[in-house]
């Protein structure tokens, strides 16, 4: 108790610093451990998909399996492409994916603008009606929608793949949230200049929201590309199928042969465009997904 | 006179605005009306009928579809499966995602790479991912067999086991969900005010204390959001089942609710009964959401 208090403090500080450093190192080690294990587990399917797609069939069925192919067999891709009409699947996926995305964003742009800036009676109630569609799963509308599309003669057409999913509450909600934060003065100035709502929307609001529009479009496109259930219901001809269902078709036709190298090549056909898109637009993409969720 | 004029012109202006509003919201509302609102009413109507999609007339059966549903063994089994799937995926994925987010929140070299890897499963086509997982879980061809081999054990045949098939589907669900949830947790962690930690550290709080009394409470709104959206998302699981097991190996061992709904409607052609199934699902989603909103009032801490 007699020792100098300032020395005591120094010693204590030194000890605290050392223990903090030790803890820091421990934390970094732990961080890399968690990240490494996660990356291996989360990335394993991609690794196995890629290596299997390149293996000759003997190396696929061999036990125990090999991590890497001994020779790279690119013919797998050619054979997979020929085993099912992948050219059709691609055209169907790209055309319906792009068209639906454009319509979704366009319709959402106008609707979000109307809800954000134009006065109308009972607007809140109408907005709730829009949001409520997010609560209603596609799954529970399958039977009536199928009947309706049959009545319209839309089964096995692009109409069925494009029009019903073209209205979506999610982009409306995300854009609406953004529009509310735009400075009112700017819009008022445009109105004073005698601009109509269409002009204000296209010349002021839309250009200011361009990054978000891109983000919303990305999320929409990936959602359409990956969709399995809707195209499964509204098409039944092989030539009208989209890529995910085309892959299931490839699986059925290859089932007996267990030609997993071809199946994995087919899988790459389906996921590669999305992965490439994601890698180049990651920021906007994550932005688009998180925007609708986190308030304010 | 002057008063009337302004009144008249404001009415005129309103009418113009109202018409513009209607024109702007028309495309979406038209599509919602035809392909969402109307189908729900029609589903409701169908659920009181018996119909096989082909006969020209339906047979009105009142509540019989609903009564049958409660006695249907398959119904209870797929409800059970869906519960197991949904809660396992949401709880396990949330826990792991939180852990991952804590690791991602430390700015170590290589962090962006790990973030990309973590998020990629979420954007990967589910049907395609499910197909890869069939191969991964294969006791002979998959990489797991190397582990079994090293341990000298016989690996389980996930997809032909009545108990494990559902868990194979759950694993894929978790795999897809972790990165998605961790992005939200990470955003939440980065939003926590550093001053809170500094202040608590001055008061001599331990790391565990900081975590327990600052980090976790601040994350509850995000946990809540992820749970609601995750539960609803998981309840709708379809693609994974369709690709991996088709509800097998002995139906409905791994069939989820929506998968069974699809079977009833588009394989057994029981339009009325399937619609009763759909209505039940609809009510369940609303009830779960309401329960969660009520619960959140108790344990979610919003704001600073």
């Amino acid at each position: 108790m007699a020792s100098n208090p300032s020395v005591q403090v120094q010693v204590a500080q030194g000890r605290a610093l050392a223990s903090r450093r030790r803890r820091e190192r421990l934390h970094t080690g732990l961080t890399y451990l968690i990240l490494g294990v996660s990356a291996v587990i989360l990335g394993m399917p991609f690794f196995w998909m890629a290596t299997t797609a390149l293996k000759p069939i003997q190396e696929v069925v061999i036990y125990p399996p090999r991590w890497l192919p001994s020779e790279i067999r690119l013919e797998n891709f050619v054979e997979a492409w020929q085993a099912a009409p992948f050219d059709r699947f691609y055209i169907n996926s790209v055309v319906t994916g792009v068209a639906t995305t454009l319509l979704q964003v366009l319709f959402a742009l106008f609707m979000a603008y109307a809800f954000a800036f134009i006065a109308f009676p009972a607007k809140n109630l109408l907005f709730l009606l829009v949001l409520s569609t997010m609560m209603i799963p596609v799954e529970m509308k399958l039977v009536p929608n199928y009947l309706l599309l049959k009545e319209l003669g839309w089964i096995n057409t692009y109409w069925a793949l494009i029009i019903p999913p073209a209205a979506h509450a999610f982009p409306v909600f995300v854009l609406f949230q953004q529009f509310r934060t735009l400075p009112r003065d700017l819009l008022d100035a445009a109105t004073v200049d005698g601009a109509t709502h269409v002009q204000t929307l296209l010349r002021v609001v839309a250009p200011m929201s361009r990054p978000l529009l891109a983000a919303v479009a990305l999320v929409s496109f990936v959602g359409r590309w990956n969709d399995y259930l809707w195209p499964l219901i509204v098409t039944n001809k092989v030539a009208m199928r989209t890529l995910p269902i085309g892959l299931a078709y490839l699986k059925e036709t290859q089932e007996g042969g267990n030609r997993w190298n071809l199946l994995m090549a087919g899988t790459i056909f389906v996921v590669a465009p999305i992965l490439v898109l994601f890698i180049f637009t990651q920021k906007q993409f994550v932005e688009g997904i998180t925007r609708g969720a986190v308030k304010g | 006179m002057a008063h009337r004029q302004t009144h008249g012109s404001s009415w005129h202006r309103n009418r113009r605005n109202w018409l513009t509003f209607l024109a702007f919201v028309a495309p979406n509302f038209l599509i919602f009306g035809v392909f969402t609102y109307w189908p729900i009413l029609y589903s409701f109507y169908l659920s009181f009928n018996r119909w096989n999609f082909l006969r020209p007339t339906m047979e009105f059966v009142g509540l019989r579809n609903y009564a049958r549903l409660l006695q249907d063994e398959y119904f209870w089994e797929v409800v059970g499966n869906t519960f197991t799937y949904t809660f396992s995926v949401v709880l396990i994925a949330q826990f792991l995602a939180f852990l991952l987010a804590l690791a991602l929140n430390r700015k170590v070299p290589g962090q962006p790479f790990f973030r990309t890897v973590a998020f990629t499963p979420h954007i990967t086509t589910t049907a395609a991912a499910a197909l890869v997982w069939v191969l991964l879980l294969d006791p002979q061809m998959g990489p797991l067999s190397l582990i079994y081999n090293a341990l000298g054990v016989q690996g389980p045949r996930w997809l032909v086991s009545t108990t494990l098939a559902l868990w194979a589907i759950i694993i894929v669900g978790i795999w897809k969900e972790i990165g998605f949830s961790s992005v939200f947790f990470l955003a939440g962690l980065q939003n926590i005010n550093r001053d809170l930690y500094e202040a608590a550290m001055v008061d001599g709080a331990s790391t565990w204390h900081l975590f327990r009394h600052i980090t976790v409470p601040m994350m509850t709104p995000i946990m809540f959001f992820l749970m609601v959206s995750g539960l609803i998302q998981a309840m709708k699981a379809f693609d994974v089942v369709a690709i991996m097991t088709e509800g097998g190996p002995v139906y409905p061992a791994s069939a989820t609710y929506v998968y069974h709904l699809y079977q009833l409607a588009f394989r057994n052609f029981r339009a009325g009964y399937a619609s009763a199934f759909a209505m039940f699902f609809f009510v369940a989603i609303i009830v779960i959401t309401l329960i969660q909103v009520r619960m959140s009032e108790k344990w979610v801490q919003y704001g600073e």
Side-chain angles (χ1 to χ4, degrees):
Chain A
M1 298 304 150
S3 61
N4 190 335
S6 82
V7 171
Q8 225 173 35
V9 168
Q10 269 181 4
V11 170
Q13 274 177 345
R15 217 182 273 152
L17 202 69
S19 93
R20 191 190 264 188
R21 258 197 214 128
R22 210 169 334 126
R23 218 169 40 204
E24 197 74 0
R25 263 206 305 273
L26 183 75
H27 279 188
T28 306
L30 209 59
T31 301
Y32 273 117
L33 184 72
I34 295 173
L35 292 180
V37 171
S38 306
V40 168
I41 294 174
L42 296 173
M44 183 56 73
F46 299 104
F47 175 81
W48 209 255
M49 170 180 79
T51 54
T52 308
L54 295 170
K55 284 176 185 169
I57 189 68
Q58 315 84 274
E59 281 180 35
V60 176
V61 294
I62 202 170
Y63 177 84
R66 295 194 177 169
W67 288 105
L68 294 169
S70 62
E71 53 158 322
I72 289 185
R73 191 168 185 277
L74 289 171
E75 295 94 314
N76 290 342
F77 290 93
V78 179
E79 285 167 28
W81 188 271
Q82 286 163 349
F86 270 103
D87 46 350
R88 279 302 306 212
F89 301 154
Y90 255 101
I91 294 171
N92 295 341
S93 274
V94 171
V95 170
T96 62
V98 170
T100 310
T101 301
L102 290 179
L103 289 179
Q104 253 185 31
V105 174
L106 189 72
F107 293 165
L109 187 63
F110 276 89
M111 188 179 238
Y113 179 93
F115 277 116
F117 303 122
I118 307 178
F120 194 78
K123 215 160 71 164
N124 289 340
L125 201 71
L126 288 174
F127 197 60
L128 268 180
L129 205 58
V130 173
L131 292 188
S132 73
T133 61
M134 285 205 277
M135 289 279 300
I136 301 161
V138 188
E139 291 76 8
M140 73 154 301
K141 312 179 293 188
L142 288 179
V143 173
N145 269 330
Y146 174 79
L147 295 170
L148 193 63
L149 293 171
K150 222 169 98 177
E151 205 65 34
L152 290 167
W154 280 11
I155 298 293
N156 283 321
T157 65
Y158 279 165
W159 297 114
L161 290 167
I162 294 170
I163 301 298
H168 203 306
F170 180 75
V172 176
F173 180 64
V174 175
L175 290 175
F176 174 77
Q177 298 274 62
Q178 152 89 2
F179 289 173
R180 281 197 318 182
T181 65
L182 293 179
R184 282 305 298 212
D185 309 357
L186 224 88
L187 297 165
D188 291 343
T191 322
V192 166
D193 286 345
T196 63
H197 281 301
V198 178
Q199 286 166 332
T200 313
L201 169 55
L202 296 180
R203 290 191 199 147
V204 182
V205 175
M208 283 177 77
S209 314
R210 210 174 279 157
L212 190 61
L213 285 172
V216 166
L218 275 170
V219 176
S220 291
F221 182 75
V222 172
R224 295 321 304 153
W225 185 275
N226 289 344
D227 190 19
Y228 187 80
L229 187 55
W230 183 258
L232 181 70
I233 303 291
V234 304
T235 65
N236 51 45
K237 276 195 220 149
V238 175
M240 287 309 295
R241 298 297 207 183
T242 52
L243 278 164
I245 304 165
L247 184 64
Y249 172 79
L250 178 71
K251 181 189 171 226
E252 275 164 39
T253 58
Q254 299 300 312
E255 195 101 71
N258 249 346
R259 298 174 70 185
W260 278 98
N261 46 355
L262 297 201
L263 284 183
M264 289 302 107
T267 307
I268 290 176
F269 292 151
V270 181
V271 300
I274 289 296
L275 292 184
V276 171
L277 191 67
F278 173 64
I279 285 166
F280 284 107
T281 59
Q282 218 185 124
K283 249 206 171 123
Q284 291 98 309
F285 198 92
V286 173
E287 162 97 2
I289 282 187
T290 48
R291 230 359 144 72
V294 187
K295 276 190 283 179
Chain B
M1 201 61 197
H3 178 81
R4 243 166 139 186
Q5 238 174 9
T6 42
H7 196 80
S9 75
S10 98
W11 180 84
H12 196 72
R13 253 182 81 127
N14 262 346
R15 196 184 63 165
R16 259 190 72 126
N17 266 338
W18 291 0
L19 287 176
T20 313
F21 181 90
L22 288 175
F24 277 25
V25 301
N28 268 349
F29 267 124
L30 194 70
I31 296 174
F32 283 144
V34 175
F35 295 105
T36 299
Y37 304 137
W38 160 250
I40 285 169
L41 297 176
Y42 196 64
S43 252
F44 191 58
Y45 167 73
L46 273 174
S47 72
F48 299 111
N49 287 278
R50 182 188 303 172
W51 191 46
N52 67 352
F53 286 90
L54 293 171
R55 251 180 291 151
T57 55
M58 303 178 190
E59 182 194 343
F60 185 78
V61 293
L63 287 169
R64 227 179 296 163
N65 282 333
Y66 290 96
R68 283 193 63 172
L69 186 137
L70 296 177
Q71 293 162 0
D72 187 342
E73 268 174 55
Y74 279 14
F75 170 77
W76 292 108
E77 205 161 328
V78 295
V79 166
N81 288 347
T82 310
F83 258 98
T84 309
Y85 174 87
T86 303
F87 282 97
S88 310
V89 169
V90 171
L91 294 179
I92 298 173
Q94 296 261 308
F95 175 75
L96 295 175
F98 191 55
L99 214 63
L100 180 59
L102 287 174
L104 286 171
N105 194 32
R106 291 176 59 85
K107 289 266 175 299
V108 294
Q111 189 254 20
F113 165 77
F114 288 110
R115 213 173 42 191
T116 307
V117 173
F119 198 73
T120 310
H122 179 71
I123 56 115
T124 304
T125 317
T126 309
L131 192 57
V132 180
W133 275 97
V134 173
L135 184 60
L136 282 180
L137 292 175
D138 188 281
Q140 302 275 321
M141 296 182 281
L144 283 178
S145 65
L146 294 169
I147 299 175
Y148 303 142
N149 211 13
L151 295 173
V153 295
Q154 182 78 43
R157 302 178 65 196
W158 293 84
L159 299 180
V160 293
S161 150
T162 45
T163 45
L164 287 180
L166 184 62
W167 282 93
I169 290 166
I170 289 171
I171 288 173
V172 182
I174 294 170
W175 174 77
K176 269 200 84 95
E177 184 65 31
I178 290 177
F180 177 72
S181 296
S182 71
V183 166
F184 286 91
F185 281 134
L186 185 60
L189 288 171
Q190 286 168 348
N191 271 341
I192 298 177
N193 193 339
R194 301 300 310 174
D195 296 350
L196 286 175
Y197 289 116
E198 303 285 332
M201 260 146 78
V202 168
D203 292 344
S206 67
T207 313
W208 168 249
H209 222 74
L210 297 181
F211 179 74
R212 174 70 192 80
H213 294 284
I214 298 177
T215 313
V216 172
M218 295 296 285
M219 300 299 278
T220 53
I222 292 175
M223 286 181 197
F224 173 67
F225 159 76
L226 285 171
M227 270 192 199
V228 180
S229 67
L231 283 179
I232 291 178
Q233 205 52 45
M235 278 175 75
K236 293 157 62 168
F238 177 85
D239 316 11
V240 193
V241 182
I243 297 289
M244 289 184 87
T245 66
E246 299 183 27
V250 183
Y251 198 86
S254 65
T256 52
Y257 200 87
V258 171
Y259 189 76
H260 190 59
L261 173 63
Y262 169 80
Q263 292 289 325
L264 283 176
F266 297 98
R267 288 288 169 269
N268 306 342
F269 306 111
R270 297 165 71 183
Y273 193 52
S275 296
F277 238 77
M279 292 310 299
F280 193 89
F281 185 59
F282 181 47
V283 173
I285 285 198
I286 289 177
V287 169
I288 287 184
T289 313
L290 289 180
I291 291 174
Q292 282 183 316
V293 169
R294 283 301 292 275
M295 267 168 50
S296 79
E297 285 162 8
K298 283 207 186 106
W299 62 273
V300 173
Q301 305 177 24
Y302 285 103
E304 314 253 308

